[in-house]
Amino acid sequence: NAGVTQTPKFQVLKTGQSMTLQCAQDMNHEYMSWYRQDPGMGLRLIHYSVGAGITDQGEVPNGYNVSRSTTEDFPLRLLSAAPSQTSVYFCASTPQRGAGYTFGSGTRLTVV
Amino acid sequence: QKEVEQDPGPLSVPEGAIVSLNCTYSNSAFQYFMWYRQYSRKGPELLMYTYSSGNKEDGRFTAQVDKSSKYISLFIRDSQPSDSATYLCAMNNLSGRTGANNLFFGTGTRLTVIP
């Protein structure tokens, strides 16, 4: 099925560990974003990309890195995990500015 | 003050009822308005998309935008148990450094439709 694929679905990390959340889309969308979803906070933008090789920070970028070497893939790296990064992470893509986004099914991350 | 405010509910209605979900916002520059449905432990799914003010209908769903009041609504007619989910409003304005790529979300309203 066409769409946005995220792996892993669940992850438990120890404080200080690093990891990469994977995101891939097969719709040839130029725009991709990472959001985190926390109770009572809604979804907040971490980083986004407007095309291969172009990324920028969103509202809550601290502690995260991204890169976009291909149109399809947009991995999110946690540099040194902290308990405050316990959240559900969603990757999303859209073909154009202002259009609706297609979301992945999410990665549930717990940092202990 | 949050940019987008949404009553978290929960909201319980009997099957067949008309459901009204609402969001208010503070940024008058918002132009694109969306409603997403999110089932438990799933990603948000785009339900309705509107540009500027007005109404849009799609089957049992109607989205309304009143920019003068900074108020948007989603109506669900003949609600079904399968409509039980969390409904998220979202909007953006295509301006600013992140505006074009940042959806501002409400916190979501949890809806349960009772058979």
Side-chain angles (χ1 to χ4, degrees):
Chain A
N1 276 350
V4 179
T5 302
Q6 291 184 239
T7 56
K9 293 192 182 304
F10 303 94
Q11 184 70 49
V12 179
L13 286 181
K14 293 182 179 178
T15 297
Q17 287 184 318
S18 62
M19 79 161 293
T20 299
L21 280 63
Q22 302 291 345
C23 175
Q25 54 93 7
D26 58 3
M27 298 171 285
N28 202 33
H29 287 175
E30 288 296 319
Y31 298 87
M32 297 186 74
S33 300
W34 276 101
Y35 287 84
R36 58 178 289 173
Q37 185 174 36
D38 302 291
M41 300 291 291
L43 285 134
R44 293 178 293 167
L45 182 67
I46 305 171
H47 284 285
Y48 67 94
S49 170
V50 299
I54 307 170
T55 64
D56 203 351
Q57 298 179 352
E59 291 179 74
V60 289
N62 292 340
Y64 307 96
N65 255 351
V66 291
S67 60
R68 183 109 179 262
S69 56
T70 66
T71 299
E72 293 78 21
D73 299 301
F74 190 41
L76 177 72
R77 281 182 288 278
L78 278 70
L79 308 174
S80 177
S84 60
Q85 293 178 305
T86 294
S87 187
V88 183
Y89 292 85
F90 288 102
C91 180
S93 72
T94 185
Q96 64 187 45
R97 290 157 52 96
Y101 275 75
T102 300
F103 282 79
S105 57
T107 294
R108 290 184 171 271
L109 175 68
T110 302
V111 182
V112 297
Chain B
Q1 182 189 6
K2 291 181 181 177
E3 299 242 27
V4 182
E5 300 279 356
Q6 184 175 9
D7 186 337
L11 181 62
S12 292
V13 301
E15 183 175 353
I18 296 173
V19 176
S20 172
L21 303 166
N22 311 293
C23 287
T24 59
Y25 61 94
S26 57
N27 188 343
S28 58
F30 285 143
Q31 297 176 295
Y32 298 87
F33 303 91
M34 295 152 234
W35 285 94
Y36 285 83
R37 176 175 61 195
Q38 186 175 22
Y39 291 114
S40 180
R41 297 185 173 264
K42 299 290 186 184
E45 168 195 1
L46 182 65
L47 261 185
M48 300 288 286
Y49 173 91
T50 54
Y51 170 70
S52 195
S53 284
N55 293 0
K56 184 174 183 179
E57 187 174 321
D58 184 2
R60 295 184 296 110
F61 299 91
T62 299
Q64 287 185 350
V65 175
D66 182 349
K67 291 191 71 178
S68 63
S69 300
K70 298 192 185 71
Y71 188 88
I72 69 171
S73 300
L74 177 70
F75 297 96
I76 307 174
R77 290 183 299 280
D78 187 25
S79 56
Q80 303 295 310
S82 58
D83 295 328
S84 297
T86 297
Y87 289 80
L88 307 167
C89 62
M91 49 200 78
N92 69 0
N93 60 6
L94 299 195
S95 67
R97 184 177 66 80
T98 63
N101 303 284
N102 189 10
L103 291 179
F104 292 87
F105 281 88
T107 51
T109 300
R110 182 177 295 180
L111 171 67
T112 301
V113 180
I114 302 166

